[in-house]
């Protein structure tokens, strides 16, 4: 009985990520339009949750946005028209993946530039260390240092 319960819990936990917040009363009758609405819903940010799409969010605002997307699709708008309408109404923040425009150029280029800059800095540091390691010759031990070394090594040999 216990194994069956553990298996049932594991099955429920595996099925959780597949669950969506779309309610049955939101689903459109036309499967093609519903597929478009789901695709658009995955691209739009929930303004309450902020790191979830409206397709995955249970927030009331996400529900309102899902209904608005379906309403616009039902009115005959294309995907880009729906997105443009929502961006005009809520701003670029509503998009989970910002558009590549002049205003979002920093968002798109900052990551790669930091990665390239870090690689160049690492390369320069390795080059500098290699150069410094080769140029610094090791000086031989002085007679005093050799005597101290012999004394330390003989003390270690006696204690072992």
């Amino acid at each position: 009985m216990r194994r069956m319960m553990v298996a049932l819990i594991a099955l429920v936990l595996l099925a959780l990520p597949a669950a969506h917040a779309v309610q049955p009363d939101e689903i459109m009758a036309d499967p093609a339009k519903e597929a478009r609405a789901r695709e658009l819903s995955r691209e739009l940010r929930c303004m309450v949750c902020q790191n979830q799409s409206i397709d995955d969010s249970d927030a009331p605002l996400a529900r309102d946005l899902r209904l608005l997307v379906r309403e616009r699709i039902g009115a005959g708008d294309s995907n880009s028209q729906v997105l443009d309408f929502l961006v005009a109404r809520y701003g670029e923040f509503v998009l989970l993946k910002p558009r590549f425009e002049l205003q979002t150029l920093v968002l798109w280029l900052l990551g790669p530039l930091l990665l390239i800059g870090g690689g160049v800095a690492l390369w320069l540091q390795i080059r500098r260390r290699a150069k410094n390691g080769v140029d610094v010759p090791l000086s031989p031990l002085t007679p005093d240092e050799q005597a101290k070394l012999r004394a330390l090594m003989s003390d270690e040999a006696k204690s072992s």
Side-chain angles (χ1 to χ4, degrees), residues 115-134:
L115 187 62
I116 291 168
V120 168
L122 182 63
W123 176 73
L124 289 173
Q125 181 68 19
I126 290 171
R127 200 170 136 215
R128 187 177 310 125
R129 281 188 176 191
K131 182 180 177 185
N132 288 341
V134 171

Side-chain angles (χ1 to χ4, degrees), residues 45-53 56-59 62:
R45 179 187 318 273
C46 173
M47 305 301 260
V48 176
C49 309
Q50 295 189 2
N51 207 19
Q52 272 187 324
S53 69
D56 297 327
S57 176
D58 287 327

Side-chain angles (χ1 to χ4, degrees), residues 16 35 51 86:
L16 280 178
N51 207 19
L86 291 170

Side-chain angles (χ1 to χ4, degrees), residues 100-118:
F100 191 77
E101 295 175 348
L102 187 60
Q103 300 132 335
T104 59
L105 198 60
V106 173
L107 287 174
W108 284 101
L109 297 180
L110 189 61
L113 288 176
L114 284 175
L115 187 62
I116 291 168

Side-chain angles (χ1 to χ4, degrees), residues 137-149:
L138 295 176
S139 60
L141 295 176
T142 64
D144 285 342
E145 291 172 336
Q146 289 177 357
K148 286 179 185 177
L149 181 61

Side-chain angles (χ1 to χ4, degrees), residues 21 26 41 45-49 53-68:
E26 297 174 25
S41 294
R45 179 187 318 273
C46 173
M47 305 301 260
V48 176
C49 309
S53 69
I54 62 170
D55 196 44
D56 297 327
S57 176
D58 287 327
L61 180 60
R63 175 182 166 78
D64 293 344
L65 287 173
R66 286 191 303 265
L67 290 173
L68 185 59

